[in-house]
Amino acid sequence: MKAFRLDELEAERAANDGAYLQFLKERNMSAGLYALDAGDTDPQAPHNEDEIYFVVSGRAAITVGMETTQVARGSVVYVPAGTAHKFHHISEDLRVLVMFSPPES
C-alpha cells in the first residue's frame, strides 16, 4: 500500500518551487498535486494521457476543448487525452489532485 497526506504533499511541492508534484507513478496510472495561486496563468499544453482533476481547494474556471465550467472544492473534471485545457480566472489559490492514465510520460 502507498498512502499520502495532502499537507505533506503540499509542503514537498512548495519546497521544490514547482506548480506540479508527481507523487505516484505505477504501470497504469500516475498522480500528482497541481497548484496555481490566485491570478496565476495556467501554462498547460494538451497531454497524451486521459486526466481526472479533483479540486481540493480554491476557485477557478476551466476550459476543456470548447466548454467552460466553474470549479471549486469537490469538483471533478475529466479531460480526454490530446484535448486543450486550461484553468483561468483563478480567484482563490487552487490545489488540484491530478490522475493520469496511462501514467504521464
Side-chain angles (χ1 to χ4, degrees):
M1 177 173 76
K2 295 179 182 179
F4 305 92
R5 289 180 43 106
L6 187 58
D7 58 341
E8 292 170 355
L9 295 173
E10 175 62 13
E12 183 178 349
R13 185 207 56 78
N16 288 310
D17 292 327
Y20 184 71
L21 170 70
Q22 182 180 78
F23 61 87
L24 178 70
K25 186 168 186 177
E26 297 295 330
R27 186 171 55 87
N28 293 316
M29 67 169 295
S30 62
L33 177 64
Y34 191 41
L36 294 166
D37 291 335
D40 278 356
T41 300
D42 184 359
Q44 291 192 80
H47 304 284
N48 296 321
E49 307 82 15
D50 287 343
E51 292 178 79
I52 293 178
Y53 290 113
F54 174 76
V55 178
V56 175
S57 62
R59 290 188 179 280
I62 186 171
T63 298
V64 178
M66 301 300 292
E67 296 180 84
T68 299
T69 191
Q70 299 296 312
V71 294
R73 183 175 160 251
S75 297
V76 178
V77 177
Y78 167 70
V79 180
T83 304
H85 59 286
K86 293 212 183 282
F87 290 99
H88 53 91
H89 296 93
I90 303 166
S91 59
E92 294 177 13
D93 293 353
L94 196 61
R95 299 299 180 266
V96 182
L97 289 176
V98 186
M99 280 107 352
F100 289 98
S101 181
E104 185 179 31
S105 45

